[in-house]
Amino acid sequence: KAGVTQTPRYLIKTRGQQVTLSCSPISGHRSVSWYQQTPGQGLQFLFEYFSETQRNKGNFPGRFSGRQFSNSRSEMNVSTLELGDSALYLCASSLERSSYEQYFGPGTRLTVT
Amino acid sequence: AQSVTQLGSHVSVSEGALVLLRCNYSSSVPPYLFWYVQYPNQGLQLLLKYTSAATLVKGINGFEAEFKKSETSFHLTKPSAHMSDAAEYFCAVSGYSTLTFGKGTMLLVSP
């Protein structure tokens, strides 16, 4: 069974631009969560989607948003990029919301210049 | 609310030596606990998990961890380190469909 896939793997953007990252969960998994990883703050929870609805949100500004499609694929969007948004963005999928076991993709490395 | 503290941002061992990575947690409900490993430029791979069954949990690559409620600890061990174990290790506690991670411990293995 294929794992979690994320595209693109690497991205370079300029301050003020916006970016969209994509995540395809493991086949059959219905819950998708996003995390931001930086050297200073570590791994931080962004949001969780289940059945095309955002179920949980971490402490991030409204510039960070996401959505989930009917096939469980998810996208996250960051508008008006800031230098501090440079990070590794990780997507994780799980079978159901009550499945505590999450499987991570390889991440998208975003660099904002 | 949950939190995780990993003692030591870096741990150095020699190949063949015991690996001990420390994790203490705080949780307002009975916790589910996890250890993940991250190799450079990769995502996180699940090593093992505690979900209120056996307190001694065995994972992949020879790692195991013991849940100690009285000490609120979930330390990760491996009897004999291998060069391929060099990576960053994260302890995490689960809330409902979210994970709260520790800051991570970089394991360095020398020949």
Side-chain angles (χ1 to χ4, degrees):
Chain A
K1 190 183 271 190
V4 178
T5 58
Q6 292 187 245
T7 56
R9 290 292 311 278
Y10 301 91
L11 206 49
I12 300 175
K13 290 286 188 180
T14 305
R15 268 184 306 175
Q17 288 185 315
Q18 75 165 22
V19 68
T20 299
L21 313 181
S22 180
C23 171
S24 293
I26 292 171
S27 177
H29 284 200
R30 301 171 62 197
S31 178
V32 173
S33 298
W34 288 89
Y35 296 83
Q36 181 196 64
Q37 185 178 25
T38 59
Q41 298 298 317
L43 281 151
Q44 293 183 284
F45 171 73
L46 278 159
F47 27 63
E48 179 222 354
Y49 285 87
F50 180 79
S51 291
E52 302 177 61
T53 302
Q54 186 181 95
R55 305 291 179 154
N56 255 316
K57 190 178 190 326
N59 189 26
F60 279 83
R63 299 185 298 107
F64 291 81
S65 63
R67 58 177 174 170
Q68 186 181 33
F69 301 94
S70 58
N71 61 359
S72 295
R73 190 176 70 83
S74 177
E75 290 181 345
M76 68 162 281
N77 184 78
V78 187
S79 62
T80 320
L81 284 165
E82 301 178 359
L83 294 178
D85 296 333
S86 294
L88 181 67
Y89 290 89
L90 293 163
C91 166
S93 75
S94 58
L95 201 56
E96 298 285 343
R97 285 208 75 211
S98 58
S99 299
Y100 295 92
E101 195 165 323
Q102 295 189 15
Y103 295 87
F104 284 79
T108 294
R109 172 75 63 186
L110 172 65
T111 303
V112 182
T113 62
Chain B
Q2 289 116 173
S3 66
V4 173
T5 302
Q6 291 184 240
L7 295 175
S9 58
H10 291 78
V11 169
S12 294
V13 299
S14 299
E15 194 173 21
L18 171 71
V19 175
L20 171 60
L21 304 182
R22 300 176 186 273
C23 171
N24 288 88
Y25 70 90
S26 171
S27 178
S28 54
V29 297
Y32 283 13
L33 295 160
F34 305 82
W35 276 98
Y36 284 87
V37 62
Q38 186 177 34
Y39 297 98
N41 297 316
Q42 293 187 28
L44 277 68
Q45 181 183 8
L46 181 64
L47 271 179
L48 49 80
K49 62 182 179 182
Y50 167 77
T51 56
S52 73
T55 57
L56 182 63
V57 181
K58 295 189 184 298
I60 62 172
N61 300 337
F63 285 95
E64 63 182 37
E66 186 172 8
F67 172 70
K68 292 187 176 180
K69 184 178 179 181
S70 60
E71 299 177 9
T72 61
S73 68
F74 190 57
H75 301 331
L76 181 71
T77 60
K78 182 174 180 177
S80 176
H82 192 272
M83 296 295 291
S84 61
D85 294 328
E88 190 160 21
Y89 293 79
F90 293 92
C91 181
V93 61
S94 180
Y96 190 60
S97 291
T98 67
L99 289 171
T100 299
F101 287 90
K103 292 290 189 184
T105 298
M106 185 68 71
L107 177 64
L108 308 170
V109 183
S110 56

